[in-house]
Amino acid sequence: MIREFAGWTPYPRGTVAKRSTSFICQACGAVYQRWQGRCEACGEWNSIAEEATGEANAAPVAGGARLKKGRVIQLEGLAGTPMDAPRQPSGIAELDRVTGGGFVKGSVILLGGEPGIGKSTLLIQAAAAIARAGSRCVYISGEESAGQVRLRAQRLGLGDAPVELAAETHVEDILATLATGSPPRLVIIDSIQTMWTDAVEAAPGTVTQVRASAQGLIRFAKASGAAIILVGHVTKDGQIAGPRVVEHMVDAVMSFEGDAAHHFRILRAVKNRFGATDEIGVFEMGGAGLVEVPNPSALFLGARDASVSGTAVFAGMEGTRPLLVEIQALVTPTALGTPRRAVVGWDQSRLAMVLAVLEARGGVRLGQHDVYMNVAGGFRILEPAADLAVAAALVSSLADIPISPHAVVFGEISLSGLIRPVPQAAPRLKEAAKLGFSEALLPDGSAEAARQAGLKTRPALRIADLVAEIAGGPPRKPSSARVSHERE
Ligand code: TYD
Ligand code: MG
């Protein structure tokens, strides 16, 4: 990356500040001196655009610039009184869980998500809840007209909530408006990509504008104590384009995810200066907007056909909350020279690793088979604890022997073929027992936790034990079972 250096003073001695342009990657904000096809910093193609980077209001500096004498700032100790009532809960439990108990005074949150996923819907619901609780709440829409926002709010039954609404994109006007009257508790800026400020010359929507607009809004949040939520649209590969450059400036980054084909939506904290980052909130998009899902396991296991081979129920953890999801695998003889490996909802390279360990340490021959893997309901699993459930589903599909419908599976697989214990076994097993599961396929080290939760344990020490456990069951179609019981 080429950085701009002009000595240690802002401008070289004796020159006049001239209007300058730079070439800036619109995805990550890297600065270049000339155009190039690919950003070396983030690898994005065709993302570099020329932007005016001079400050419109900066006075020309002539005769050499020195650092101006600064004003003495007041230094404070750590012991003083913290902010009063630092958090404003929204009353939407799934949202408050992800923020860490409510919006912190003076904090700025970036909410990213694909267009149409439901960001505006979630935020108008949160704004209405906070306004109804008696706090001043302002919703600034840069994308929809005030009429459109009002129409949606009324359809959601929120027409009576005293939310202050405006359709505006000019940051200076927005800040002047927010500064009148009592300081708002919550301000929603939908979206940061539409905002522009006079402070910089670049065109609206460019990285320079997004960054400068965010800076202005963040300064207001810190000075006034208002919590601000900035909406940012993400590109299809999951990167918050443009707004990614403000990620480090904000206090929290949340992403709103989901699958167009499914109704549920997941709110994840990616960064949170005031709370945990592994919490998720689960919502269901319905005719009346987003509805909280307090028991997501029941939702993800809803339409499950436990009698078919190739499915395993993974007892996962999302932050402090256990979450049971079904993992589906389909293993079929390949018709092509190179077998296909397709995975939805899990890491492709993690699947390759599990396949390799199954082959090398479990004696399962998969080289001539296509492998398809899917996490039911469009959910995305990030934990390595899912290894064992994936392996179980694969073996079950290959052998065409269903796994017991009453069993949950979890455990991490090491390259040596050992099955390693995973953190938080107890809450995983407790959730499984609550949902009526009575058996657990798990690492040897977690057997005691399973007994305590009242589940019958089938601990496995090595991957070969798992293969024997599943493929050793009563086969439905013995002719199609291709699992050999090799042991090291
Ligand atoms: P929206 O909040 O506008 O998405 P974003 O702000 O992230 O771009 O959500 C729009 C989608 O949500 C749209 O496809 C319709 C759907 N939707 C419902 O299914 N039910 C509802 O009650 C609402 C308001 C939206
Ligand atoms: Mg929107």
Side-chain angles (χ1 to χ4, degrees):
M1 197 198 313
I2 299 164
R3 296 232 169 96
E4 288 177 307
F5 282 114
W8 67 276
T9 50
Y11 302 101
R13 191 173 286 267
T15 59
V16 171
K18 59 178 194 298
R19 281 191 51 184
S20 59
T21 64
S22 293
F23 294 85
I24 302 184
C25 172
Q26 301 299 303
C28 74
V31 182
Y32 299 89
Q33 273 170 356
R34 59 183 68 81
W35 190 86
Q36 56 191 64
R38 183 168 192 243
C39 174
E40 285 157 22
C42 69
E44 193 78 22
W45 286 95
N46 251 335
S47 62
I48 294 171
E50 185 171 10
E51 287 184 21
T53 47
E55 288 195 13
N57 300 329
V61 185
R66 281 171 209 279
L67 287 180
K68 270 195 288 178
K69 196 159 186 253
R71 137 188 98 78
V72 176
I73 51 172
Q74 182 77 41
L75 299 173
E76 295 172 44
L78 291 175
T81 36
M83 296 177 285
D84 57 322
R87 283 185 192 270
Q88 170 83 45
S90 67
I92 301 173
E94 293 293 302
L95 176 60
D96 291 340
R97 173 202 298 279
V98 179
T99 54
F103 304 114
V104 174
K105 255 185 139 179
S107 73
V108 180
I109 296 173
L110 175 66
L111 176 70
E114 283 175 29
I117 204 75
K119 298 181 293 298
S120 305
T121 309
L122 176 69
L123 292 178
I124 195 74
Q125 288 182 234
I130 284 182
R132 274 179 178 159
S135 300
R136 185 178 176 211
C137 182
V138 182
Y139 190 105
I140 308 286
S141 177
E143 290 179 356
E144 294 165 274
S145 68
Q148 285 172 313
V149 177
R150 206 176 297 125
L151 191 70
R152 184 204 311 245
Q154 282 168 9
R155 218 170 50 70
L156 298 176
L158 307 171
D160 63 319
V163 176
E164 294 170 40
L165 175 68
E168 184 54 62
T169 55
H170 188 202
V171 172
E172 278 78 1
D173 291 352
I174 293 169
L175 293 180
T177 312
L178 294 178
T180 58
S182 65
R185 275 315 288 268
L186 181 69
V187 179
I188 288 157
I189 304 291
D190 188 2
S191 65
I192 188 66
Q193 276 116 326
T194 56
M195 296 295 139
W196 63 281
T197 159
D198 291 328
V200 291
E201 284 179 352
T206 56
V207 168
T208 307
Q209 270 296 354
V210 166
R211 198 166 7 203
S213 301
Q215 245 154 19
L217 291 160
I218 290 168
R219 216 174 299 129
F220 174 78
K222 304 291 171 208
S224 68
I228 298 190
I229 304 180
L230 307 173
V231 174
H233 294 292
V234 300
T235 51
K236 51 192 176 319
D237 61 356
Q239 305 291 17
I240 303 184
R244 216 172 92 189
V245 301
V246 305
E247 270 187 4
H248 66 280
M249 296 157 58
V250 298
D251 298 301
V253 180
M254 318 221 144
S255 92
F256 204 36
E257 308 171 351
D259 191 323
H262 296 95
H263 287 303
F264 72 86
R265 303 280 181 268
I266 289 168
L267 185 67
R268 266 182 214 278
V270 181
K271 156 184 170 176
N272 194 351
R273 285 182 185 153
F274 306 112
T277 53
D278 49 6
E279 291 289 357
I280 63 164
V282 185
F283 299 88
E284 203 170 354
M285 179 66 96
L290 290 158
V291 183
E292 297 174 62
V293 179
N295 186 358
S297 297
L299 174 76
F300 290 122
L301 294 178
R304 179 168 135 75
D305 180 2
S307 64
V308 297
S309 64
T311 72
V313 175
F314 167 53
M317 285 300 288
E318 289 289 342
T320 54
R321 176 158 60 176
L323 186 59
L324 302 193
V325 277
E326 185 188 62
I327 290 181
Q328 306 163 346
L330 181 63
V331 179
T332 57
T334 183
L336 307 163
T338 318
R340 282 202 61 172
R341 272 90 178 87
V343 49
V344 179
W346 206 45
D347 186 24
Q348 181 99 35
S349 48
R350 198 93 204 161
L351 174 68
M353 193 205 84
V354 170
L355 289 171
V357 176
L358 271 174
E359 183 127 15
R361 314 283 184 192
V364 181
R365 304 271 167 258
L366 290 155
Q368 294 305 310
H369 288 82
D370 289 339
V371 172
Y372 302 92
M373 198 211 111
N374 179 39
V375 179
F379 191 70
R380 191 160 60 88
I381 297 176
L382 305 171
E383 279 190 291
D387 290 353
L388 197 65
V390 171
L394 290 168
V395 174
S396 162
S397 174
L398 179 69
D400 197 19
I401 299 172
I403 295 172
S404 161
H406 309 294
V408 292
V409 192
F410 65 85
E412 189 178 335
I413 296 176
S414 70
L415 288 179
S416 66
L418 267 178
I419 298 167
R420 294 151 45 104
V422 297
Q424 295 171 295
R428 294 173 201 268
L429 292 158
K430 223 176 274 167
E431 173 82 356
K434 204 172 85 191
L435 285 159
F437 289 86
S438 56
E439 297 166 47
L441 255 166
L442 38 61
D444 208 26
S446 307
E448 188 47 43
R451 269 191 288 277
Q452 277 173 11
L455 273 81
K456 217 166 82 191
T457 54
R458 299 155 72 187
L461 197 57
R462 313 189 134 265
I463 192 80
D465 300 338
L466 176 89
V467 176
E469 173 75 41
I470 295 169
R476 288 205 313 176
K477 280 189 255 161
S479 58
S480 68
R482 274 183 213 89
V483 178
S484 60
H485 296 226
E486 283 172 28
R487 302 245 185 176
E488 307 95 299

